[in-house]
Amino acid sequence: MAKQEDLFKNVVSHAKEYGFIFPSSEVYDGLSAVYDYAQNGVELKKNIRDYWWKSMVQMHENIVGIDAAIFMHPTTWKASGHVDAFNDPLIDNKDSKKRYRADVLIEDYAEKLNQKAQKEIEKARARYGEAFNEQEFVSTNTRVVEYLSKKKEILERMARSLETENLADVKALIEELEIADPDTGSKNWTDVRQFNLMFGTKLGASADSAMDLYLRPETAQGIFVNFLNVQKTGRMKVPFGIAQTGKAFRNEIVARQFIFRMREFEQMEMQFFVRPGEEMKYYEYWKETRLKWHLSLGLGKENYRFHDHEKLAHYANAAADIEFNFPFGFKELEGIHSRTDFDLKAHEQHSGKKMQYFDTELNQNYTPYVVETSVGLDRMFLAVFSNSLKEETLEDGSTRTVLRLPSVLAPTKAAVLPLVKKDGLPEVARQIIEDLKWDFNVAYDEKDAVGRRYRRQDALGTPFCITVDHQTLEDQTVTIRHRDSMQQDRVKIEELRGIINKEVSMRNWLMKM
Ligand code: GAP
């Protein structure tokens, strides 16, 4: 655990030291759970967004994008259920005065039971080797059966209590399980209360005429209210999707863990409109397709898992998370939700405007059902960044810090380094930059010894370093160094664009899906 905490601390400090993420308004000591993306962070974030957008919009004939406003008519949030139901159950510890999400305390307890079961399974795997039958072991080993059934029982009871608003039972569950304040160990809890997560604001100059608004807590509603506009102007036929990326805001009760849970964050969402009755088919399709997208980045299959929801949001009839193995354990990265016709029907009811689609094949009007995929851009950033940060011991015993980012996402694709600051080498390096910058984000660096410059680019995640030396002046060749293998090859300057492109082009990465 201590090791994991150290790793996470490294992630946070590396992000700051190398210009990826700064605490917001740091000169005033920052603002809790709000962060700024710095010069390298903004490039990595943009590349993740582009990678998502291309795979969704460019690669699907039947998916188009929009960019709806953050401010929406306040009735939107009444209709969507967010005014009445977008709550988290909070609980305070009377001794430490710390506030927690009651459901998260219980889920963490359940996860510990899961980890105990996994430990038994791994021990048995090591003991029986090839002959190990995991399925049989999980269903017959008394300890594993006990851990997993207790976990299931706890999560089901919590889901039932939350669904029926039985907050007294949520507290009773915390007490029965003897869950303590993770920071202090105290078990002295208040009652559980509901807390609405939306930020309110006002629109208008005078106090009398000002209108109460909310900052959107999800981007999805901008898509729902534009559903017919897009369908008609784009002549879209069900099944079709609308994609959007943009800011969302939530007054999170517990906003810790760096950019994992922020109060201002960015979502990448896609609503897929389908015929009623076909939603489960598309729900399965999008679960699989989104996992493939994640896997295409090469962060390791073992770092992902599905978690099917026991406790469904007010709009869903099925939901699953794609969880990622963050430095603090497996947590939600993306949600895939079957949202039924809840949102379109609710907007129809509250606006008095029809939100139906005429299906020419069926010769029938209906309200489409919706399957949604929703991934946090900041969480994707954290997943990619934390997974890529490595401390490596080299053959000569020295160490290096390297950010093994998927090269398609790297902020800078190549750094061009003149070996020395004289003899015409900087001029040649500048010419190479002039040529490459039309296609790639490239950097020039002439400060310090070349070995130190390599290390700096490794820590920034730059896939290639191109070194211009005296031989370059004679035969127009340079060395190209690969970040991960540190191998150096001598190549012609005119070959550079092709070599870099092969490694970083979105086409090549997305084709792995
Ligand atoms: N439209 C559905 C929706 O908003 P959600 O599960 O509440 O569903 C979707 O959020 C995704 O948005 C999450 O999987 C997560 O990646 C991201 N997300 C949610 N709250 C966040 C927060 N406070 N900070 C950063 N990312 C967040």
Side-chain angles (χ1 to χ4, degrees), residues 218 220 250 252 260-262 265 267 269 315 332-335 337 339 372 374-376 379:
E218 61 170 7
R250 295 183 189 177
E252 296 284 358
F260 180 79
R261 199 179 298 288
M262 301 156 90
F265 58 99
Q267 289 186 314
E269 299 202 299
Y315 48 70
E332 174 184 348
L333 173 60
E334 168 154 5
H337 311 124
R339 288 181 80 130
E372 156 185 87
S374 176
V375 56
R379 274 193 202 176

Side-chain angles (χ1 to χ4, degrees), residues 82 86 217-221 224 248-250 252 255 259-269 271 309 315 321-322 332-337 339 372-380:
H82 285 80
F86 194 53
E218 61 170 7
T219 57
Q221 296 305 323
F224 288 122
F249 303 83
R250 295 183 189 177
E252 296 284 358
I259 56 170
F260 180 79
R261 199 179 298 288
M262 301 156 90
R263 298 205 163 98
E264 172 182 343
F265 58 99
E266 192 165 336
Q267 289 186 314
M268 306 190 286
E269 299 202 299
Q271 326 303 130
H309 283 207
Y315 48 70
D321 295 336
I322 295 177
E332 174 184 348
L333 173 60
E334 168 154 5
I336 292 117
H337 311 124
R339 288 181 80 130
E372 156 185 87
T373 72
S374 176
V375 56
L377 177 50
D378 314 86
R379 274 193 202 176
M380 262 312 287

Side-chain angles (χ1 to χ4, degrees), residues 188-202:
N188 193 5
W189 296 109
T190 63
D191 287 341
V192 176
R193 283 170 296 144
Q194 291 290 21
F195 177 80
N196 192 287
L197 298 182
M198 284 196 293
F199 282 107
T201 184
K202 292 207 180 285

